[in-house]
Amino acid sequence: MHIIGIMKLLKYIFVSLLTILFYQNLSAQTSFEGVITSRVTVGGVDFGKIIEKIDYNKPHIQDQFSSLYKNLPPQSLVKLQEVIQKNPMMGLVLVMTPPQATIYIKGKVVNLTARGLGYQIQHYHDEQLDQASIYTNSLIQPQNAVTSIYKPSEGYRELFGNGKYINLEHFQIQRLSKTAIVANYPCAIATYTPKNTIPSTNQNAGGLPIHKLVVYTNKDIPKGINFSHPYYLPENNGILRIDIYLDKGEEPTMVYEIVDIKKTMIGQNLLLPKKNDPTYVLKDPQYSMKVLGIMMQGMSLMQNDDDED
């Protein structure tokens, strides 16, 4: 693959990664304190069930992944193959998106940890001190790590990138009268449908056209959890779930959802940021290449299965 193609691919992958770890303004509900767990499913399949079982302290990591993947229920394998056939980029998105995350919130301080295939991330955000950092390290070679820093006051468009920052002018929003329960919380439902059917105007940076988004919100949950989803959506309440339809199918292609919300006291030890030197700004090409190197290690774990399939 040419270096330009790699950089474009990295931009999409890393935008997806960062948006899953995005921290929005918490000022509307600063008293919330607790732990929130989120997950990502593709075609109804929870890829996190594989990720969490890989032991990087044992040898033959690739064999571990291959065995776990092949032991998925037959119906799950079929669903994954169908999704990837319809959207070839979904294979990469599946690998590069952390399928599970744990979010610690205490007032205006948020600390998110997530594990992907071959890597882990910590995203720290302190609105009051105007400090934020993203620490990414390899689980295959733990010494391989990189840190970026940014100021929340400078905005979040860089985190969302092209196509991820939903522009209301391009979408028709419908507020539904029905509600749904997500993580034991009642949620209002809204649908976001692109006004323009031309692919170039309603797709994200990875070339995946958005057919429809179904958004579930709850007024008692802080807006700060909205970073757990891949798109910026102009919602005033906490978003507990987004169903992402990339085609006209009856079932969503991907689902980003909160699966557990626990109000509890959070110790300072759970709110400490990880960093290593040197630190980079998000736009620095060196930072992008370092992240790419870490991600490619995880992608290599799937190589044999891709060849066999």
Side-chain angles (χ1 to χ4, degrees):
M1 183 181 292
H2 295 298
I3 187 65
I4 294 178
I6 291 176
M7 291 303 293
K8 287 182 177 179
L9 175 60
L10 172 64
K11 182 177 181 181
Y12 165 67
I13 291 172
F14 198 57
V15 164
S16 297
L17 188 63
L18 289 178
T19 53
I20 289 176
L21 307 175
F22 164 71
Y23 297 91
Q24 194 185 346
N25 192 316
L26 291 173
S27 60
Q29 295 150 314
T30 59
S31 62
F32 185 89
E33 183 173 1
V35 182
I36 293 177
T37 304
S38 67
R39 73 174 177 186
V40 179
T41 57
V42 178
V45 180
D46 185 357
F47 205 59
K49 299 299 183 181
I50 292 180
I51 302 297
E52 66 184 8
K53 293 180 180 178
I54 297 176
D55 188 344
Y56 294 92
N57 294 316
K58 293 182 179 180
H60 310 298
I61 299 172
Q62 191 172 36
D63 291 341
Q64 289 186 57
F65 171 81
S66 179
S67 176
L68 290 167
Y69 180 80
K70 291 176 180 178
N71 284 330
L72 284 172
Q75 62 269 28
S76 295
L77 287 171
V78 170
K79 288 183 179 179
L80 281 175
Q81 292 170 357
E82 289 177 349
V83 169
I84 293 173
Q85 287 176 356
K86 291 181 180 179
N87 304 279
M89 284 291 294
M90 285 302 302
L92 291 174
V93 175
L94 183 66
V95 176
M96 309 306 276
T97 301
Q100 295 177 338
T102 302
I103 310 155
Y104 301 98
I105 303 176
K106 187 173 184 177
K108 294 188 177 183
V109 179
V110 183
N111 198 21
L112 180 148
T113 60
R115 171 182 281 203
L117 183 59
Y119 65 91
Q120 62 185 4
I121 288 177
Q122 186 211 62
H123 194 151
Y124 173 84
H125 182 282
D126 187 330
E127 182 190 4
Q128 187 169 353
L129 295 180
D130 199 22
Q131 298 175 353
S133 61
I134 304 170
Y135 175 85
T136 307
N137 75 283
S138 169
L139 292 170
I140 301 171
Q141 296 178 333
Q143 72 278 9
N144 188 6
V146 64
T147 301
S148 66
I149 57 175
Y150 68 94
K151 292 184 177 182
S153 63
E154 295 178 354
Y156 302 101
R157 285 184 180 271
E158 182 65 23
L159 286 177
F160 283 94
N162 296 331
K164 295 289 188 175
Y165 200 98
I166 297 300
N167 189 332
L168 292 182
E169 295 181 358
H170 298 158
F171 284 81
Q172 181 70 43
I173 301 175
Q174 181 181 8
R175 305 287 175 181
L176 306 185
S177 57
K178 64 180 182 179
T179 61
I181 302 296
V182 180
N184 294 320
Y185 281 75
C187 293
I189 305 174
T191 62
Y192 286 67
T193 307
K195 295 179 180 179
N196 196 328
T197 58
I198 300 175
S200 62
T201 62
N202 68 338
Q203 66 185 19
N204 59 36
L208 299 178
I210 301 171
H211 181 69
K212 180 176 66 174
L213 301 176
V214 182
V215 184
Y216 304 75
T217 60
N218 179 277
K219 61 182 178 61
D220 297 322
I221 301 301
K223 292 194 298 182
I225 70 165
N226 294 351
F227 62 80
S228 63
H229 308 300
Y231 302 94
Y232 171 80
L233 295 157
E235 295 289 338
N236 293 322
N237 298 317
I239 298 173
L240 300 194
R241 172 171 170 154
I242 302 179
D243 295 342
I244 301 172
Y245 293 78
L246 300 181
D247 53 48
K248 296 181 179 180
E250 295 183 1
E251 300 295 329
T253 308
M254 301 181 71
V255 175
Y256 291 70
E257 62 182 333
I258 302 304
V259 294
D260 186 60
I261 300 172
K262 182 180 180 181
K263 292 184 178 181
T264 185
M265 294 182 64
I266 302 298
Q268 189 60 32
N269 62 310
L270 297 175
L271 300 173
L272 298 176
K274 286 185 178 180
K275 293 182 182 180
N276 69 325
D277 293 323
T279 58
Y280 299 87
V281 296
L282 293 176
K283 292 182 179 181
D284 192 323
Q286 292 187 57
Y287 174 61
S288 298
M289 292 305 296
K290 286 180 178 293
V291 172
L292 176 62
I294 293 173
M295 299 301 170
M296 290 298 289
Q297 286 184 314
M299 290 177 64
S300 67
L301 298 179
M302 291 191 69
Q303 189 62 47
N304 283 351
D305 290 294
D306 291 341
D307 292 341
E308 293 175 7
D309 292 340

